[in-house]
Amino acid sequence: MKIVNRNALVVIPQKPFWDWLLSVDEQFDLEEIEESGDFNVYLIPEFESEDDIVTYLEKNYDQIFTNELMDWYSEEDLWPKERSWDIFEDWFTIEAHSLIYDMPKVPLQKI
């Protein structure tokens, strides 16, 4: 088992995100989604401190924001027009993890 030279970020949508999603499509079962705990994980460069992770996020949050919107609702015309760092922080909780173990013997694939 090897350690991957990355940090992992778990991105957990919060109430403002769910409010927006239900405003564009009422068919989502938020209770089921939240109970599943199955949220997106992003591998980012390896950092030594939480401050470094925040600095990285401040520069790259829009990629994550855009991906989260696309994963849940692909009609870009209905996405929020303003997607600032402050809104990102309101809409998502980020869990950072520093030790990422690669257990399988099969090489990682990017698809």
Side-chain angles (χ1 to χ4, degrees):
M1 180 167 34
K2 303 232 180 200
I3 295 176
V4 178
N5 64 339
R6 299 281 188 269
N7 288 123
L9 302 178
V10 180
V11 177
I12 304 167
Q14 299 301 302
K15 187 177 185 325
F17 177 86
W18 299 129
D19 290 347
W20 163 78
L21 185 62
L22 288 176
S23 76
V24 295
D25 190 338
E26 296 176 352
Q27 297 180 33
F28 287 98
D29 183 349
L30 296 186
E31 191 172 310
E32 182 180 321
I33 293 167
E34 288 179 327
E35 285 178 7
S36 77
D38 187 17
F39 302 111
N40 291 335
V41 177
Y42 297 84
L43 295 179
I44 64 169
E46 189 173 31
F47 294 106
E48 294 294 321
S49 75
E50 188 174 323
D51 288 343
D52 291 338
I53 292 171
V54 171
T55 299
Y56 177 85
L57 272 173
E58 287 173 341
K59 293 177 184 172
N60 296 281
Y61 76 90
D62 195 53
Q63 284 180 282
I64 295 172
F65 208 149
T66 300
N67 192 67
E68 291 296 314
L69 294 170
M70 182 62 75
D71 271 2
W72 288 98
Y73 205 77
S74 60
E75 270 188 64
E76 294 181 38
D77 291 346
L78 297 176
W79 289 4
K81 301 297 181 234
E82 186 179 345
R83 295 193 297 271
S84 67
W85 169 246
D86 289 337
I87 292 172
F88 180 80
E89 286 187 299
D90 287 341
W91 282 36
F92 303 99
T93 295
I94 306 296
E95 292 180 356
H97 301 274
S98 59
L99 290 176
I100 314 304
Y101 294 94
D102 186 16
M103 294 180 64
K105 302 246 186 262
V106 179
L108 283 172
Q109 290 184 338
K110 290 184 178 184
I111 53 173

